[in-house]
Amino acid sequence: MNRDVPAPAPKVGRSGTESRPARPLAVDSRLIHAGEPVPRIEGAVAMPIFQTSTYVYGGEEGYHNLRYHRLNNSPNHLALHAKLASIEEAESALVTASGMAAISTALLTILSAGDHLLAQARLYGGTYSLITQHLPDLGIAYDFVEGGDPDEWERKLRPETKAIYVETIDNPLLAVPDLEAVVDFAREHGLVSLVDNTFATPVNFRPVALGFDLSLHSGTKYLNGHNDVIAGAVVGRADLVERIRQKLNELGGCLDAHAAFLLHRGLKTLAVRVRRQNESAQALAEALANHPAVARVHYPGLPEHPTHANAARLLDGYGGMVSFEAEGGGEAAARVARRLELAIDAPSLGGVDTLVSRPALLSHAGLPPAERERLGIRDGLIRVSVGLESADDLIADFQQALEE
Ligand SMILES: *Cc1c(COP(=O)(O)O)cnc(C)c1O
């Protein structure tokens, strides 16, 4: 082998497959095959880990094209980018060191001093803090809006409004905004539309296919799915994703090679995991709704959920997240969390292990209590991330924990 000749970057399947079959592949097949290197590196069936920071100079022009791990262009990055773009039916994708790296880098690319952002109320806690505490320091203004009220969006629109930001399924009450109206509103007013699609996953919803410019993920959650990696992703319009990549190259939040390998491996089982979690969450939500010690259940798959109609129209599945309010407030919620035997009392979500968390103590602890109350996030609220245990075992676990 001539060691002076730099090896070219492995090609990754643009169409998402090696053999380009005549019929389009289902998401299950694209999760396995899209983005895999062509030809496979040394014949390896599993994507190898490229544990190297740098690569032999191959004549690349321009800083962002140099082959260097922080510039988000290692073979592990490129394979993930092609796989994620394929499963979300988008032009392009970028993986990041965390979900917050994806969200912050995307917002800091789209917005600059003097701009204004419309954002859905009840965001993920980290996103809420970023918008309320850090964007104003940079001269970026914002207004919160309800996800189902386009008249309010219109009222709060300013000449300097640049973007509208929502979550497919919000946290922790699991409301689904009128996502079609968000896309229409953004197009009508020339705004960039962004959606955090973490809770829905590309199996249940593909935002870019509906018309969103950018879909953001905490890959830490369902995409990886095993509660063992921190990662994020930005998926969408190629011009925007490239601008975000260049910003990320400078901010430095690149995904580590080993984390990339684990995310890649986790993605292959995304569809089976998510469909099973959809089913188990529906069964758990129904069981909790019939339990006398439960005051309220929030699950978009229940007909009485306030945004059930949006969820039924837009999503292919209602997701693996359920939240409910125990009768008796914060003390009752603490007792339930303590008594659960299978479900683990831990923040985070989207993995094979069922986790519970109390938003008033954790994800939404940063909000002033009056603001939490206004948003409907009461002290007795328990959020459940349904894992892959048997649904019957999970229901029995919650029933025993709720007994007086
Ligand atoms: C966890 C989460 C994030 C942040 O992701 P990290 O990977 O922890 O940085 C953002 N949005 C949602 C909806 C999340 O659940």
Side-chain angles (χ1 to χ4, degrees), residues 107-108 110-117 130-143 158 160-162:
L107 287 175
L108 293 176
I110 306 298
L111 302 168
S112 28
D115 291 342
H116 173 251
L117 169 73
L130 173 74
I131 291 174
T132 56
Q133 292 173 27
H134 301 294
L135 294 190
D137 290 347
L138 301 171
I140 300 163
Y142 64 89
D143 269 301
R158 302 184 193 169
E160 59 274 21
T161 307
K162 264 282 171 56

Side-chain angles (χ1 to χ4, degrees), residues 255-341:
L255 187 65
D256 163 76
H258 196 259
F261 168 80
L262 287 173
L263 176 61
H264 192 127
R265 181 167 86 158
L267 272 171
K268 293 197 175 186
T269 55
L270 180 71
V272 252
R273 285 187 282 107
V274 167
R275 290 198 194 106
R276 169 70 179 272
Q277 285 162 318
N278 288 342
E279 277 172 30
S280 299
Q282 182 81 37
L284 179 65
E286 287 170 7
L288 290 170
N290 291 320
H291 199 287
V294 172
R296 241 179 238 99
V297 179
H298 307 272
Y299 185 65
L302 294 178
E304 58 271 27
H305 188 273
T307 62
H308 173 69
N310 286 346
R313 189 177 73 251
L314 295 162
L315 308 184
D316 294 335
Y318 297 113
M321 301 299 296
V322 177
S323 38
F324 68 97
E325 231 176 274
E327 290 281 12
E331 272 174 39
R335 196 173 59 240
V336 170
R338 211 168 42 240
R339 282 196 190 169
L340 285 165
E341 288 166 2

Side-chain angles (χ1 to χ4, degrees), residues 15 21 33 45 56 61 81 83 110 112 117 129 172 191 247 269 310 331 351 362 371-372 380 387 396 398:
S15 71
H33 292 285
V45 171
V56 173
E61 282 175 23
H81 296 166
K83 196 182 288 292
I110 306 298
S112 28
L117 169 73
S129 308
L191 312 182
K247 179 78 80 171
T269 55
N310 286 346
E331 272 174 39
L362 295 167
E371 178 65 5
R372 273 206 303 272
F398 280 90

Side-chain angles (χ1 to χ4, degrees), residues 98-100 103 124 196 198-199 218 220-221 230-231 349:
S98 67
M100 284 314 302
I103 293 165
Y124 174 74
D196 181 332
T198 300
F199 276 34
S218 169
T220 310
K221 316 295 169 52
I230 298 287
L349 61 114

Side-chain angles (χ1 to χ4, degrees), residues 32-308:
I32 308 294
H33 292 285
E36 298 298 321
V38 183
R40 289 179 187 272
I41 299 159
E42 291 292 321
V45 171
M47 181 72 199
I49 305 173
F50 280 78
Q51 192 67 53
T52 177
S53 55
T54 191
Y55 295 80
V56 173
Y57 178 64
E60 295 86 5
E61 282 175 23
Y63 177 70
H64 294 286
N65 298 319
L66 293 175
R67 299 193 60 217
Y68 183 63
H69 191 92
R70 176 169 45 73
L71 304 179
N72 301 291
N73 55 17
S74 77
N76 292 107
H77 290 128
L78 298 181
L80 277 169
H81 296 166
K83 196 182 288 292
L84 285 166
S86 170
I87 62 173
E88 281 219 353
E89 298 165 23
E91 288 174 355
S92 192
L94 170 72
V95 288
T96 60
S98 67
M100 284 314 302
I103 293 165
S104 59
T105 310
L107 287 175
L108 293 176
T109 304
I110 306 298
L111 302 168
S112 28
D115 291 342
H116 173 251
L117 169 73
L118 287 174
Q120 182 186 0
R122 280 194 307 265
L123 291 169
Y124 174 74
T127 309
Y128 177 87
S129 308
L130 173 74
I131 291 174
T132 56
Q133 292 173 27
H134 301 294
L135 294 190
D137 290 347
L138 301 171
I140 300 163
Y142 64 89
D143 269 301
F144 285 123
V145 292
E146 285 302 319
D149 187 1
D151 291 340
E152 186 196 13
W153 312 343
E154 199 87 47
R155 281 197 307 280
K156 293 189 171 164
L157 188 74
R158 302 184 193 169
E160 59 274 21
T161 307
K162 264 282 171 56
I164 183 163
Y165 186 104
V166 296
E167 295 181 353
T168 313
I169 302 178
D170 84 359
N171 188 26
L173 301 182
L174 310 174
V176 177
D178 188 344
L179 298 165
E180 287 152 326
V182 174
V183 166
D184 291 346
F185 181 82
R187 287 205 172 136
E188 187 185 338
H189 298 288
L191 312 182
V192 176
S193 51
L194 302 97
V195 59
D196 181 332
N197 198 36
T198 300
F199 276 34
T201 84
V203 175
N204 288 335
F205 184 59
R206 286 146 317 275
V208 175
L210 187 76
F212 275 93
D213 295 309
L214 292 170
S215 163
L216 309 170
H217 284 275
S218 169
T220 310
K221 316 295 169 52
Y222 291 98
L223 297 185
N224 174 64
H226 292 73
N227 291 321
D228 56 8
V229 155
I230 298 287
V234 177
V235 186
R237 258 173 55 190
D239 60 327
L240 293 177
V241 173
E242 178 56 17
R243 279 176 56 205
I244 296 165
R245 183 181 77 91
Q246 295 194 7
K247 179 78 80 171
L248 187 72
N249 288 349
E250 272 128 23
L251 293 178
C254 65
L255 187 65
D256 163 76
H258 196 259
F261 168 80
L262 287 173
L263 176 61
H264 192 127
R265 181 167 86 158
L267 272 171
K268 293 197 175 186
T269 55
L270 180 71
V272 252
R273 285 187 282 107
V274 167
R275 290 198 194 106
R276 169 70 179 272
Q277 285 162 318
N278 288 342
E279 277 172 30
S280 299
Q282 182 81 37
L284 179 65
E286 287 170 7
L288 290 170
N290 291 320
H291 199 287
V294 172
R296 241 179 238 99
V297 179
H298 307 272
Y299 185 65
L302 294 178
E304 58 271 27
H305 188 273
T307 62
H308 173 69

